[in-house]
Amino acid sequence: MPSWLKNQMAKAFFNKDKYQIKMLNQCWYYYQHLYK
């Protein structure tokens, strides 16, 4: 996982921002799907 995404995730979890976490998850799955 790229560091920028980890940082965003940590921030979202820290703020308990469910919408942000969901969005970042979708981002990550999409990213993995593209670069396999």
Side-chain angles (χ1 to χ4, degrees):
M1 188 183 283
S3 60
W4 60 268
L5 191 59
K6 277 186 198 167
N7 292 338
Q8 290 286 307
M9 268 298 201
K11 207 177 289 180
F13 272 109
F14 183 74
N15 295 329
K16 292 184 173 62
D17 188 346
K18 288 198 177 91
Y19 175 76
Q20 181 86 351
I21 293 167
K22 194 189 272 185
M23 196 181 70
L24 289 167
N25 267 334
Q26 287 173 336
C27 238
W28 174 235
Y29 286 123
Y30 181 69
Y31 184 87
Q32 275 185 313
H33 187 73
L34 279 180
Y35 295 99
K36 268 195 176 162

mmCIF file of all heavy atoms in Angstrom:
data_model
loop_
_atom_site.group_PDB
_atom_site.id
_atom_site.type_symbol
_atom_site.label_atom_id
_atom_site.label_comp_id
_atom_site.label_asym_id
_atom_site.label_seq_id
_atom_site.Cartn_x
_atom_site.Cartn_y
_atom_site.Cartn_z
ATOM 1 N N MET A 1 0.848 -1.185 0.000
ATOM 2 C CA MET A 1 0.000 0.000 0.000
ATOM 3 C C MET A 1 0.892 1.246 0.000
ATOM 4 O O MET A 1 1.813 1.326 0.800
ATOM 5 C CB MET A 1 -0.883 -0.032 1.259
ATOM 6 C CG MET A 1 -1.927 1.046 1.278
ATOM 7 S SD MET A 1 -2.919 1.059 2.801
ATOM 8 C CE MET A 1 -3.997 -0.315 2.500
ATOM 9 N N PRO A 2 0.620 2.192 -0.879
ATOM 10 C CA PRO A 2 1.442 3.408 -0.929
ATOM 11 C C PRO A 2 1.344 4.216 0.374
ATOM 12 O O PRO A 2 0.309 4.189 1.045
ATOM 13 C CB PRO A 2 0.865 4.206 -2.094
ATOM 14 C CG PRO A 2 -0.249 3.428 -2.651
ATOM 15 C CD PRO A 2 -0.447 2.196 -1.861
ATOM 16 N N SER A 3 2.406 4.919 0.692
ATOM 17 C CA SER A 3 2.453 5.649 1.962
ATOM 18 C C SER A 3 1.394 6.751 2.049
ATOM 19 O O SER A 3 0.820 6.982 3.111
ATOM 20 C CB SER A 3 3.841 6.230 2.177
ATOM 21 O OG SER A 3 4.158 7.117 1.141
ATOM 22 N N TRP A 4 1.111 7.420 0.932
ATOM 23 C CA TRP A 4 0.099 8.481 0.964
ATOM 24 C C TRP A 4 -1.269 7.910 1.347
ATOM 25 O O TRP A 4 -2.040 8.536 2.065
ATOM 26 C CB TRP A 4 0.019 9.220 -0.371
ATOM 27 C CG TRP A 4 -0.326 8.362 -1.550
ATOM 28 C CD1 TRP A 4 0.549 7.738 -2.385
ATOM 29 C CD2 TRP A 4 -1.633 8.006 -2.018
ATOM 30 N NE1 TRP A 4 -0.129 7.024 -3.331
ATOM 31 C CE2 TRP A 4 -1.472 7.164 -3.136
ATOM 32 C CE3 TRP A 4 -2.929 8.323 -1.594
ATOM 33 C CZ2 TRP A 4 -2.560 6.633 -3.837
ATOM 34 C CZ3 TRP A 4 -4.009 7.790 -2.300
ATOM 35 C CH2 TRP A 4 -3.813 6.954 -3.400
ATOM 36 N N LEU A 5 -1.545 6.684 0.871
ATOM 37 C CA LEU A 5 -2.832 6.048 1.176
ATOM 38 C C LEU A 5 -2.882 5.626 2.642
ATOM 39 O O LEU A 5 -3.902 5.779 3.301
ATOM 40 C CB LEU A 5 -3.057 4.851 0.248
ATOM 41 C CG LEU A 5 -4.453 4.237 0.267
ATOM 42 C CD1 LEU A 5 -5.520 5.254 -0.110
ATOM 43 C CD2 LEU A 5 -4.527 3.061 -0.686
ATOM 44 N N LYS A 6 -1.754 5.116 3.143
ATOM 45 C CA LYS A 6 -1.672 4.735 4.571
ATOM 46 C C LYS A 6 -1.929 5.943 5.456
ATOM 47 O O LYS A 6 -2.663 5.849 6.442
ATOM 48 C CB LYS A 6 -0.286 4.175 4.885
ATOM 49 C CG LYS A 6 -0.129 2.723 4.545
ATOM 50 C CD LYS A 6 1.229 2.241 5.028
ATOM 51 C CE LYS A 6 1.602 0.951 4.347
ATOM 52 N NZ LYS A 6 2.998 0.599 4.527
ATOM 53 N N ASN A 7 -1.319 7.072 5.087
ATOM 54 C CA ASN A 7 -1.496 8.294 5.883
ATOM 55 C C ASN A 7 -2.951 8.744 5.894
ATOM 56 O O ASN A 7 -3.493 9.102 6.930
ATOM 57 C CB ASN A 7 -0.614 9.420 5.340
ATOM 58 C CG ASN A 7 0.853 9.141 5.562
ATOM 59 O OD1 ASN A 7 1.227 8.359 6.433
ATOM 60 N ND2 ASN A 7 1.694 9.777 4.767
ATOM 61 N N GLN A 8 -3.578 8.704 4.728
ATOM 62 C CA GLN A 8 -4.978 9.092 4.621
ATOM 63 C C GLN A 8 -5.856 8.157 5.459
ATOM 64 O O GLN A 8 -6.777 8.599 6.134
ATOM 65 C CB GLN A 8 -5.437 9.029 3.158
ATOM 66 C CG GLN A 8 -4.841 10.096 2.274
ATOM 67 C CD GLN A 8 -5.460 11.453 2.525
ATOM 68 O OE1 GLN A 8 -6.665 11.618 2.486
ATOM 69 N NE2 GLN A 8 -4.616 12.424 2.795
ATOM 70 N N MET A 9 -5.553 6.861 5.391
ATOM 71 C CA MET A 9 -6.292 5.859 6.158
ATOM 72 C C MET A 9 -6.176 6.135 7.648
ATOM 73 O O MET A 9 -7.179 6.150 8.359
ATOM 74 C CB MET A 9 -5.720 4.459 5.894
ATOM 75 C CG MET A 9 -6.368 3.712 4.782
ATOM 76 S SD MET A 9 -8.106 3.397 5.091
ATOM 77 C CE MET A 9 -8.321 2.035 3.988
ATOM 78 N N ALA A 10 -4.945 6.350 8.099
ATOM 79 C CA ALA A 10 -4.708 6.605 9.521
ATOM 80 C C ALA A 10 -5.495 7.832 9.980
ATOM 81 O O ALA A 10 -6.130 7.811 11.038
ATOM 82 C CB ALA A 10 -3.218 6.804 9.761
ATOM 83 N N LYS A 11 -5.486 8.870 9.163
ATOM 84 C CA LYS A 11 -6.204 10.095 9.490
ATOM 85 C C LYS A 11 -7.713 9.841 9.559
ATOM 86 O O LYS A 11 -8.394 10.291 10.474
ATOM 87 C CB LYS A 11 -5.902 11.157 8.422
ATOM 88 C CG LYS A 11 -6.029 12.573 8.932
ATOM 89 C CD LYS A 11 -5.660 13.583 7.873
ATOM 90 C CE LYS A 11 -4.162 13.612 7.579
ATOM 91 N NZ LYS A 11 -3.805 14.595 6.555
ATOM 92 N N ALA A 12 -8.218 9.086 8.589
ATOM 93 C CA ALA A 12 -9.648 8.784 8.548
ATOM 94 C C ALA A 12 -10.066 7.958 9.763
ATOM 95 O O ALA A 12 -11.102 8.213 10.372
ATOM 96 C CB ALA A 12 -9.987 8.049 7.252
ATOM 97 N N PHE A 13 -9.247 6.964 10.118
ATOM 98 C CA PHE A 13 -9.556 6.133 11.286
ATOM 99 C C PHE A 13 -9.488 6.966 12.564
ATOM 100 O O PHE A 13 -10.325 6.826 13.445
ATOM 101 C CB PHE A 13 -8.600 4.941 11.388
ATOM 102 C CG PHE A 13 -9.077 3.739 10.625
ATOM 103 C CD1 PHE A 13 -8.441 3.338 9.462
ATOM 104 C CD2 PHE A 13 -10.171 3.015 11.063
ATOM 105 C CE1 PHE A 13 -8.887 2.243 8.741
ATOM 106 C CE2 PHE A 13 -10.621 1.910 10.354
ATOM 107 C CZ PHE A 13 -9.988 1.518 9.198
ATOM 108 N N PHE A 14 -8.492 7.839 12.636
ATOM 109 C CA PHE A 14 -8.326 8.694 13.808
ATOM 110 C C PHE A 14 -9.548 9.589 13.994
ATOM 111 O O PHE A 14 -10.016 9.791 15.110
ATOM 112 C CB PHE A 14 -7.062 9.538 13.648
ATOM 113 C CG PHE A 14 -6.772 10.400 14.836
ATOM 114 C CD1 PHE A 14 -6.277 9.840 16.005
ATOM 115 C CD2 PHE A 14 -6.990 11.764 14.781
ATOM 116 C CE1 PHE A 14 -6.011 10.645 17.116
ATOM 117 C CE2 PHE A 14 -6.728 12.569 15.884
ATOM 118 C CZ PHE A 14 -6.239 12.001 17.050
ATOM 119 N N ASN A 15 -10.085 10.098 12.878
ATOM 120 C CA ASN A 15 -11.262 10.973 12.931
ATOM 121 C C ASN A 15 -12.572 10.193 12.910
ATOM 122 O O ASN A 15 -13.641 10.779 12.914
ATOM 123 C CB ASN A 15 -11.238 11.954 11.753
ATOM 124 C CG ASN A 15 -10.068 12.897 11.846
ATOM 125 O OD1 ASN A 15 -9.626 13.241 12.926
ATOM 126 N ND2 ASN A 15 -9.542 13.302 10.702
ATOM 127 N N LYS A 16 -12.470 8.871 12.839
ATOM 128 C CA LYS A 16 -13.642 7.984 12.759
ATOM 129 C C LYS A 16 -14.573 8.422 11.622
ATOM 130 O O LYS A 16 -15.791 8.477 11.769
ATOM 131 C CB LYS A 16 -14.395 7.970 14.097
ATOM 132 C CG LYS A 16 -13.593 7.309 15.195
ATOM 133 C CD LYS A 16 -14.394 7.218 16.470
ATOM 134 C CE LYS A 16 -13.680 6.404 17.525
ATOM 135 N NZ LYS A 16 -12.397 6.967 17.955
ATOM 136 N N ASP A 17 -13.957 8.741 10.498
ATOM 137 C CA ASP A 17 -14.680 9.225 9.322
ATOM 138 C C ASP A 17 -15.044 8.037 8.433
ATOM 139 O O ASP A 17 -14.264 7.615 7.590
ATOM 140 C CB ASP A 17 -13.778 10.220 8.581
ATOM 141 C CG ASP A 17 -14.506 10.932 7.457
ATOM 142 O OD1 ASP A 17 -15.600 10.478 7.070
ATOM 143 O OD2 ASP A 17 -13.964 11.929 6.967
ATOM 144 N N LYS A 18 -16.238 7.512 8.639
ATOM 145 C CA LYS A 18 -16.655 6.298 7.930
ATOM 146 C C LYS A 18 -16.704 6.492 6.418
ATOM 147 O O LYS A 18 -16.345 5.617 5.651
ATOM 148 C CB LYS A 18 -18.022 5.834 8.425
ATOM 149 C CG LYS A 18 -17.965 5.247 9.821
ATOM 150 C CD LYS A 18 -19.203 4.424 10.101
ATOM 151 C CE LYS A 18 -19.104 3.777 11.472
ATOM 152 N NZ LYS A 18 -19.672 4.608 12.533
ATOM 153 N N TYR A 19 -17.187 7.648 5.991
ATOM 154 C CA TYR A 19 -17.293 7.921 4.562
ATOM 155 C C TYR A 19 -15.918 7.901 3.906
ATOM 156 O O TYR A 19 -15.715 7.290 2.865
ATOM 157 C CB TYR A 19 -17.975 9.266 4.333
ATOM 158 C CG TYR A 19 -18.015 9.668 2.877
ATOM 159 C CD1 TYR A 19 -18.923 9.057 2.014
ATOM 160 C CD2 TYR A 19 -17.141 10.610 2.366
ATOM 161 C CE1 TYR A 19 -18.952 9.394 0.676
ATOM 162 C CE2 TYR A 19 -17.162 10.956 1.032
ATOM 163 C CZ TYR A 19 -18.077 10.348 0.188
ATOM 164 O OH TYR A 19 -18.092 10.680 -1.136
ATOM 165 N N GLN A 20 -14.961 8.556 4.560
ATOM 166 C CA GLN A 20 -13.592 8.623 4.051
ATOM 167 C C GLN A 20 -12.955 7.238 3.997
ATOM 168 O O GLN A 20 -12.305 6.887 3.021
ATOM 169 C CB GLN A 20 -12.779 9.548 4.959
ATOM 170 C CG GLN A 20 -11.344 9.738 4.534
ATOM 171 C CD GLN A 20 -11.168 10.849 3.523
ATOM 172 O OE1 GLN A 20 -12.131 11.386 3.009
ATOM 173 N NE2 GLN A 20 -9.942 11.180 3.241
ATOM 174 N N ILE A 21 -13.175 6.441 5.054
ATOM 175 C CA ILE A 21 -12.612 5.091 5.105
ATOM 176 C C ILE A 21 -13.165 4.255 3.958
ATOM 177 O O ILE A 21 -12.415 3.564 3.266
ATOM 178 C CB ILE A 21 -12.912 4.426 6.474
ATOM 179 C CG1 ILE A 21 -12.157 5.154 7.585
ATOM 180 C CG2 ILE A 21 -12.533 2.958 6.448
ATOM 181 C CD1 ILE A 21 -12.615 4.788 8.985
ATOM 182 N N LYS A 22 -14.462 4.350 3.740
ATOM 183 C CA LYS A 22 -15.103 3.580 2.666
ATOM 184 C C LYS A 22 -14.534 3.989 1.312
ATOM 185 O O LYS A 22 -14.219 3.151 0.472
ATOM 186 C CB LYS A 22 -16.610 3.824 2.709
ATOM 187 C CG LYS A 22 -17.403 2.837 1.871
ATOM 188 C CD LYS A 22 -18.854 3.240 1.777
ATOM 189 C CE LYS A 22 -19.677 2.691 2.916
ATOM 190 N NZ LYS A 22 -21.113 2.991 2.728
ATOM 191 N N MET A 23 -14.382 5.294 1.120
ATOM 192 C CA MET A 23 -13.860 5.810 -0.143
ATOM 193 C C MET A 23 -12.424 5.341 -0.374
ATOM 194 O O MET A 23 -12.069 4.913 -1.470
ATOM 195 C CB MET A 23 -13.925 7.332 -0.134
ATOM 196 C CG MET A 23 -13.785 7.945 -1.496
ATOM 197 S SD MET A 23 -13.836 9.737 -1.408
ATOM 198 C CE MET A 23 -12.269 10.057 -0.603
ATOM 199 N N LEU A 24 -11.605 5.402 0.671
ATOM 200 C CA LEU A 24 -10.206 4.980 0.556
ATOM 201 C C LEU A 24 -10.110 3.482 0.289
ATOM 202 O O LEU A 24 -9.237 3.039 -0.464
ATOM 203 C CB LEU A 24 -9.434 5.337 1.825
ATOM 204 C CG LEU A 24 -9.173 6.835 2.017
ATOM 205 C CD1 LEU A 24 -8.703 7.115 3.425
ATOM 206 C CD2 LEU A 24 -8.165 7.345 1.008
ATOM 207 N N ASN A 25 -10.999 2.711 0.893
ATOM 208 C CA ASN A 25 -11.032 1.271 0.635
ATOM 209 C C ASN A 25 -11.309 0.996 -0.834
ATOM 210 O O ASN A 25 -10.645 0.183 -1.457
ATOM 211 C CB ASN A 25 -12.099 0.586 1.496
ATOM 212 C CG ASN A 25 -11.532 0.066 2.784
ATOM 213 O OD1 ASN A 25 -10.350 -0.235 2.876
ATOM 214 N ND2 ASN A 25 -12.374 -0.034 3.780
ATOM 215 N N GLN A 26 -12.296 1.685 -1.386
ATOM 216 C CA GLN A 26 -12.633 1.502 -2.795
ATOM 217 C C GLN A 26 -11.458 1.909 -3.665
ATOM 218 O O GLN A 26 -11.136 1.234 -4.645
ATOM 219 C CB GLN A 26 -13.871 2.318 -3.151
ATOM 220 C CG GLN A 26 -15.133 1.719 -2.570
ATOM 221 C CD GLN A 26 -16.341 2.614 -2.774
ATOM 222 O OE1 GLN A 26 -16.219 3.826 -2.946
ATOM 223 N NE2 GLN A 26 -17.513 2.022 -2.740
ATOM 224 N N CYS A 27 -10.819 2.982 -3.294
ATOM 225 C CA CYS A 27 -9.620 3.460 -3.983
ATOM 226 C C CYS A 27 -8.553 2.369 -4.016
ATOM 227 O O CYS A 27 -7.968 2.088 -5.055
ATOM 228 C CB CYS A 27 -9.054 4.652 -3.206
ATOM 229 S SG CYS A 27 -8.932 6.138 -4.157
ATOM 230 N N TRP A 28 -8.317 1.767 -2.865
ATOM 231 C CA TRP A 28 -7.276 0.761 -2.727
ATOM 232 C C TRP A 28 -7.582 -0.476 -3.553
ATOM 233 O O TRP A 28 -6.732 -1.008 -4.241
ATOM 234 C CB TRP A 28 -7.088 0.424 -1.247
ATOM 235 C CG TRP A 28 -6.134 -0.695 -0.994
ATOM 236 C CD1 TRP A 28 -6.397 -1.823 -0.289
ATOM 237 C CD2 TRP A 28 -4.768 -0.809 -1.431
ATOM 238 N NE1 TRP A 28 -5.286 -2.619 -0.258
ATOM 239 C CE2 TRP A 28 -4.271 -2.031 -0.953
ATOM 240 C CE3 TRP A 28 -3.936 0.017 -2.182
ATOM 241 C CZ2 TRP A 28 -2.967 -2.445 -1.206
ATOM 242 C CZ3 TRP A 28 -2.640 -0.413 -2.440
ATOM 243 C CH2 TRP A 28 -2.172 -1.609 -1.949
ATOM 244 N N TYR A 29 -8.849 -0.944 -3.522
ATOM 245 C CA TYR A 29 -9.203 -2.125 -4.310
ATOM 246 C C TYR A 29 -9.068 -1.846 -5.803
ATOM 247 O O TYR A 29 -8.587 -2.674 -6.561
ATOM 248 C CB TYR A 29 -10.630 -2.584 -3.981
ATOM 249 C CG TYR A 29 -10.698 -3.268 -2.632
ATOM 250 C CD1 TYR A 29 -11.546 -2.800 -1.638
ATOM 251 C CD2 TYR A 29 -9.892 -4.371 -2.343
ATOM 252 C CE1 TYR A 29 -11.591 -3.417 -0.391
ATOM 253 C CE2 TYR A 29 -9.937 -4.988 -1.102
ATOM 254 C CZ TYR A 29 -10.791 -4.512 -0.139
ATOM 255 O OH TYR A 29 -10.830 -5.113 1.081
ATOM 256 N N TYR A 30 -9.469 -0.665 -6.201
ATOM 257 C CA TYR A 30 -9.353 -0.266 -7.592
ATOM 258 C C TYR A 30 -7.886 -0.216 -8.016
ATOM 259 O O TYR A 30 -7.492 -0.730 -9.064
ATOM 260 C CB TYR A 30 -10.018 1.100 -7.787
ATOM 261 C CG TYR A 30 -9.980 1.599 -9.211
ATOM 262 C CD1 TYR A 30 -10.737 0.977 -10.196
ATOM 263 C CD2 TYR A 30 -9.194 2.693 -9.566
ATOM 264 C CE1 TYR A 30 -10.694 1.424 -11.498
ATOM 265 C CE2 TYR A 30 -9.159 3.153 -10.858
ATOM 266 C CZ TYR A 30 -9.908 2.508 -11.827
ATOM 267 O OH TYR A 30 -9.864 2.959 -13.119
ATOM 268 N N TYR A 31 -7.069 0.365 -7.170
ATOM 269 C CA TYR A 31 -5.635 0.496 -7.389
ATOM 270 C C TYR A 31 -4.986 -0.886 -7.535
ATOM 271 O O TYR A 31 -4.206 -1.128 -8.440
ATOM 272 C CB TYR A 31 -5.058 1.249 -6.188
ATOM 273 C CG TYR A 31 -3.586 1.566 -6.252
ATOM 274 C CD1 TYR A 31 -3.150 2.731 -6.865
ATOM 275 C CD2 TYR A 31 -2.651 0.746 -5.654
ATOM 276 C CE1 TYR A 31 -1.796 3.063 -6.900
ATOM 277 C CE2 TYR A 31 -1.306 1.056 -5.682
ATOM 278 C CZ TYR A 31 -0.886 2.205 -6.307
ATOM 279 O OH TYR A 31 0.438 2.516 -6.334
ATOM 280 N N GLN A 32 -5.340 -1.810 -6.631
ATOM 281 C CA GLN A 32 -4.801 -3.172 -6.687
ATOM 282 C C GLN A 32 -5.219 -3.872 -7.973
ATOM 283 O O GLN A 32 -4.431 -4.558 -8.603
ATOM 284 C CB GLN A 32 -5.340 -3.990 -5.508
ATOM 285 C CG GLN A 32 -4.560 -3.833 -4.264
ATOM 286 C CD GLN A 32 -5.069 -4.765 -3.178
ATOM 287 O OE1 GLN A 32 -6.267 -4.856 -2.938
ATOM 288 N NE2 GLN A 32 -4.162 -5.453 -2.538
ATOM 289 N N HIS A 33 -6.459 -3.664 -8.333
ATOM 290 C CA HIS A 33 -7.006 -4.294 -9.536
ATOM 291 C C HIS A 33 -6.257 -3.816 -10.791
ATOM 292 O O HIS A 33 -5.967 -4.597 -11.685
ATOM 293 C CB HIS A 33 -8.512 -3.965 -9.648
ATOM 294 C CG HIS A 33 -9.194 -4.701 -10.747
ATOM 295 N ND1 HIS A 33 -9.478 -6.042 -10.678
ATOM 296 C CD2 HIS A 33 -9.643 -4.278 -11.943
ATOM 297 C CE1 HIS A 33 -10.074 -6.403 -11.797
ATOM 298 N NE2 HIS A 33 -10.188 -5.366 -12.582
ATOM 299 N N LEU A 34 -5.926 -2.537 -10.818
ATOM 300 C CA LEU A 34 -5.215 -1.975 -11.970
ATOM 301 C C LEU A 34 -3.779 -2.486 -12.085
ATOM 302 O O LEU A 34 -3.300 -2.701 -13.181
ATOM 303 C CB LEU A 34 -5.170 -0.450 -11.857
ATOM 304 C CG LEU A 34 -6.399 0.335 -12.279
ATOM 305 C CD1 LEU A 34 -6.140 1.812 -12.088
ATOM 306 C CD2 LEU A 34 -6.743 0.050 -13.738
ATOM 307 N N TYR A 35 -3.105 -2.622 -10.937
ATOM 308 C CA TYR A 35 -1.678 -2.891 -10.970
ATOM 309 C C TYR A 35 -1.277 -4.315 -10.613
ATOM 310 O O TYR A 35 -0.215 -4.548 -10.071
ATOM 311 C CB TYR A 35 -0.953 -1.900 -10.040
ATOM 312 C CG TYR A 35 -1.078 -0.482 -10.541
ATOM 313 C CD1 TYR A 35 -2.019 0.382 -9.996
ATOM 314 C CD2 TYR A 35 -0.287 -0.026 -11.585
ATOM 315 C CE1 TYR A 35 -2.148 1.683 -10.473
ATOM 316 C CE2 TYR A 35 -0.416 1.268 -12.052
ATOM 317 C CZ TYR A 35 -1.337 2.108 -11.503
ATOM 318 O OH TYR A 35 -1.471 3.380 -11.973
ATOM 319 N N LYS A 36 -2.145 -5.280 -10.923
ATOM 320 C CA LYS A 36 -1.788 -6.677 -10.656
ATOM 321 C C LYS A 36 -1.038 -7.240 -11.822
ATOM 322 O O LYS A 36 -1.283 -6.927 -12.957
ATOM 323 C CB LYS A 36 -3.040 -7.490 -10.382
ATOM 324 C CG LYS A 36 -3.317 -7.496 -8.905
ATOM 325 C CD LYS A 36 -4.302 -8.565 -8.562
ATOM 326 C CE LYS A 36 -4.464 -8.572 -7.052
ATOM 327 N NZ LYS A 36 -5.621 -9.221 -6.603
#
